[in-house]
Amino acid sequence: MSSALRARGGWANPALFRGLGNASVSIDAATVRKVAHLARLAIPEERVEALTGELNGILGWIEQLQEVDVTGIEPMASAVATALPMREDVVTDGAMPHKVLANAPRAEDGFFVVPKVVE
Amino acid sequence: MSPDLTRLTLAQALDGLARGDFSSREITRAFIDAIEAANPALNAYVLPTPERALAMADASDARRRGGSPRPLEGAPIGVKDLYCTEGVRTTACSRILDGFVPPYESTVTANLWRDGAVMLGKLNMDEFAMGSSNETSCFGPPVNPWHSSGSNRDLTAGGSSGGSASAVAANLCLAATASDTGGSIRQPAAFVGKVGIKPTYGRASRWGMVAFASSLDQAGPITHDVTDAALMLRSMCGHDARDSTSLDLPVPDFAAAIGRGVKGLRVGVPREYRVDGMPAEIDALWERGISWLRAAGAEIVDVSLPHTRYALPTYYIIAPAEASSNLARYDGMRYGLREAGRDLNDTYSRTRAAGFGKEVQRRIIIGAYVLSAGYYDAYYLRAQKVRSRIAEDFRQAWERCDVLLTPSTPSSAFALGDETRAKDPVQMYLNDVFTVTANLAGLPGISVPAALDGQGLPLGLQLIGRALDEETVIAAAAELERAAGFAATPDRWW
């Protein structure tokens, strides 16, 4: 089956497979740069435009959630409705500095070596 | 001439080992040779571990001679590269974890070694399990052992557990661990004609699994048949205090549910899963599945899951949001890749840009965006509420039926390098349309191979069950398996 066929198709209600170019809200290049900075991702300037288009495609598609009536509905944060288990507040792990540092890009004298943080 | 030990199912191999027909070293050796011969073409393993495998096999043979064999004694299996394996490189197929050697073992794999299994190596996957074709792996995609009739074009083994699927289908392990966040066990299993089961969220510990979306991720196996799935699942599951969402419940003997049959079982057919544009043969296969279960004594019930069509958009808010938070840990300071920059922030940004692939970066940005001030309520909170409605749909359905029957995927395996999907991420996302609902609701789901399509490629049927009712799912799956009698295997072109 061709993908195009699926892109045109839908459920009984064609709204399901609503595709690209349908965004009622859209993000611009400046927002993409800002969010990329917040996420600490260096995006090359020549990639920003294409990425903005891709993100708008995805956001336009998820926009259809706005039509669901969620009045009085509790948000579902976990797949299992159980209280978080509690345990005694005691040390259960540790005393293994060599293991902790074993994968460090740089380590010296039992410490991580990181770029200068304070000016 | 001895029989080809790699062609056995897990259950058959365990029987053979128990009878003393062959040793764990012999069957392990057979798999090591098979991997060496096939992996250059299939790319299923990103790291074979033959020495470790033989050492584990010898220890297992000694244990059996000592007279205390364990449930999976001596059985060679493959491990998705998502599971941390002590002393064995684990990358989740991301450059950012290049060279990462965990100093600890994931609970799921530890459970498998506790039960006597032997590790053959680490299996290919989409980077951080983000993908439906396994093409986001930094090691390149694994290849599906199946080709369309009369074609030699390479097809996807599905994603994200494409390496697990390819390895089981090509007889490069008896069974494999996989993981499922939106369909990553069931879709690859369907694409290669094998069985894949995702248990109820919380059945298997997530400790030591590289995190993608923590409220959705769940471990499970890809296997030759339903019996093997039950055996693997029993060893993989179990309470673990180190995962706060792990369920403190006894693990049932899942295999005991096989042969229970479906007489009197109410099988729901959700009308919203009839997607326009779905190939007629998938629809026809679904109808055949319905008649198979009806003929075996099940009662077929028409049910409605009205919010189904919102499941994928909901998933593509919640999963990226959780991923952007989970992947914040990759900062180049404590482990993994570091790309030096002008200052600390620049080092973070360069490290993450160099270490994460395109799709992972896309999802991190989407996630950061939907969680950011001003958009949190409109996107993330709303998606969590729609998730409640999707879960509620299932609760309503369970008043009328005991298990749901659906197709596993909206198509058979597609070509690697498919251009439409490469250009438009949403087209790729749509592949998980039938599987993602079970993740959002935390329910068990299985894909069972049921037929070949017109191109000679496998198609699967999916069963979804109530939370904690894997046994009904397995009982119905065994009946589907029996009725379908799917025995096709791919021609060995590799």
Side-chain angles (χ1 to χ4, degrees):
Chain A
M1 182 190 64
S2 78
S3 312
L5 180 64
R6 206 170 331 143
R8 283 196 307 274
W11 302 94
N13 180 341
L16 171 75
F17 282 168
R18 196 185 280 174
L20 299 184
N22 194 38
S24 61
V25 293
S26 62
I27 57 173
D28 55 18
T31 309
V32 170
R33 282 191 204 96
K34 184 182 153 219
V35 177
H37 172 70
L38 290 173
R40 298 293 183 269
L41 286 168
I43 306 293
E45 195 48 40
E46 63 270 19
R47 169 95 180 104
V48 171
E49 196 188 330
L51 186 61
T52 306
E54 291 161 16
L55 296 177
N56 273 320
I58 298 167
L59 290 168
W61 172 66
I62 60 187
E63 191 65 17
Q64 58 186 294
L65 292 188
Q66 302 304 327
E67 68 201 42
V68 183
D69 182 5
V70 292
T71 317
I73 304 288
E74 284 298 310
M76 179 173 169
S78 169
V80 279
T82 52
L84 277 180
M86 305 293 271
R87 65 164 175 83
E88 290 303 304
D89 185 15
V90 291
V91 176
T92 57
D93 211 346
M96 50 180 91
H98 292 294
K99 281 188 169 188
V100 172
L101 291 170
N103 284 284
R106 280 189 65 194
E108 265 175 44
D109 300 330
F111 293 96
F112 291 106
V113 178
V114 301
K116 192 174 168 188
V117 179
V118 204
E119 292 302 321
Chain B
M1 177 74 198
S2 58
D4 183 354
L5 299 178
T6 66
R7 301 271 186 149
L8 300 174
T9 67
L10 173 62
Q12 288 167 344
L14 288 169
D15 283 348
L17 286 161
R19 281 193 307 264
D21 295 351
F22 47 86
S23 65
S24 177
R25 173 170 265 269
E26 284 168 309
I27 189 168
T28 299
R29 184 80 248 173
F31 278 112
I32 290 170
D33 293 344
I35 293 165
E36 210 174 280
N39 211 48
L42 295 176
N43 200 25
Y45 283 85
V46 295
L47 183 68
T49 55
E51 288 88 10
R52 175 174 291 236
L54 289 172
M56 289 175 91
D58 287 343
S60 170
D61 285 332
R63 170 100 178 204
R64 193 179 285 281
R65 281 193 300 273
S68 48
R70 299 160 291 180
L72 300 176
E73 194 66 66
I77 62 166
V79 174
K80 186 177 183 178
D81 203 30
L82 186 91
Y83 292 87
C84 283
T85 40
E86 188 173 357
V88 176
R89 189 193 71 188
T90 301
T91 68
C93 292
S94 177
R95 266 187 300 278
I96 210 157
L97 277 171
D98 186 25
F100 178 68
V101 178
Y104 59 96
E105 188 77 27
S106 82
T107 300
V108 162
T109 49
N111 290 347
L112 288 163
W113 316 144
R114 174 204 65 202
D115 283 355
V118 167
M119 178 166 82
L120 289 165
K122 303 301 288 287
L123 293 162
N124 211 337
M125 58 182 280
D126 275 300
E127 182 180 9
F128 286 108
M130 297 183 196
S132 302
S133 66
N134 214 137
E135 289 170 292
T136 71
S137 165
C138 74
F139 298 101
V143 177
N144 194 325
W146 291 85
H147 279 163
S148 304
S149 326
S151 163
N152 57 10
R153 181 151 186 210
D154 284 343
L155 304 176
T156 178
S160 66
S161 309
S164 308
S166 176
V168 174
N171 301 100
L172 304 182
C173 55
L174 287 172
T177 68
S179 69
D180 195 314
T181 305
S184 283
I185 292 174
R186 292 160 286 158
Q187 182 253 29
F191 277 9
V192 302
K194 294 295 167 187
V195 172
I197 185 166
K198 177 194 94 68
T200 306
Y201 182 88
R203 271 280 193 212
S205 169
R206 289 179 296 105
W207 196 82
M209 285 170 78
V210 177
F212 161 16
S214 302
S215 81
L216 302 162
D217 297 344
Q218 188 58 201
I222 292 179
T223 58
H224 287 299
D225 60 22
V226 176
T227 300
D228 288 3
L231 295 175
M232 282 289 284
L233 199 60
R234 183 162 197 201
S235 287
M236 292 169 74
C237 292
H239 178 244
D240 178 11
R242 290 172 299 186
D243 172 2
S244 62
T245 60
S246 164
L247 297 167
D248 192 2
L249 294 169
V251 181
D253 179 4
F254 296 119
I258 293 169
R260 197 192 265 185
V262 295
K263 209 167 171 57
L265 198 69
R266 296 171 305 165
V267 176
V269 177
R271 64 180 81 114
E272 288 81 5
Y273 281 57
R274 252 170 239 288
V275 183
D276 289 350
M278 187 166 80
E281 51 191 341
I282 290 185
D283 211 31
L285 177 62
W286 194 9
E287 288 301 328
R288 239 182 298 160
I290 292 168
S291 44
W292 287 333
L293 293 180
R294 185 187 286 124
E299 179 194 341
I300 306 300
V301 186
D302 178 45
V303 297
S304 173
L305 300 167
H307 294 88
T308 299
R309 64 198 177 103
Y310 300 110
L312 269 177
T314 299
Y315 176 84
Y316 276 97
I317 292 176
I318 289 173
E322 294 184 12
S324 77
S325 169
N326 269 328
L327 272 56
R329 74 190 66 181
Y330 301 102
D331 59 5
M333 297 299 125
R334 293 154 299 162
Y335 45 82
L337 183 76
R338 180 189 295 180
E339 287 280 318
R342 290 185 307 277
D343 51 28
L344 185 66
N345 267 334
D346 194 43
T347 302
Y348 288 153
S349 298
R350 282 171 191 255
T351 296
R352 291 163 61 80
F356 293 137
K358 238 174 160 178
E359 177 63 20
V360 172
Q361 293 194 35
R362 219 160 20 218
R363 294 200 196 186
I364 290 174
I365 292 178
I366 290 276
Y369 179 72
V370 300
L371 290 173
S372 64
Y375 298 100
Y376 183 91
D377 286 6
Y379 285 113
Y380 185 64
L381 195 63
R382 174 168 283 266
Q384 285 187 313
K385 290 178 179 176
V386 179
R387 185 177 181 183
S388 291
R389 301 216 66 166
I390 290 164
E392 180 58 29
D393 283 355
F394 280 105
R395 276 192 290 274
Q396 304 253 331
W398 300 136
E399 289 176 10
R400 308 194 52 225
C401 67
D402 306 306
V403 71
L404 291 157
L405 176 70
T406 81
S408 299
T409 57
S411 75
S412 57
F414 47 88
L416 288 168
D418 180 279
E419 282 185 18
T420 317
R421 290 180 180 82
K423 275 200 216 98
D424 178 0
V426 173
Q427 287 303 319
M428 188 66 87
Y429 300 168
L430 295 178
N431 225 271
D432 295 330
V433 61
F434 299 134
T435 46
V436 74
T437 50
N439 298 83
L440 289 168
L443 304 175
I446 193 169
S447 177
V448 180
L452 297 180
D453 70 2
Q455 309 171 74
L457 296 175
L459 291 172
L461 287 171
Q462 175 182 233
L463 291 155
I464 301 174
R466 289 190 181 92
L468 299 175
D469 194 12
E470 287 84 1
E471 288 159 285
T472 296
V473 170
I474 286 169
E479 182 52 42
L480 273 185
E481 181 177 60
R482 196 196 58 77
F486 184 91
T489 53
D491 294 334
R492 301 213 163 199
W493 53 265
W494 58 90

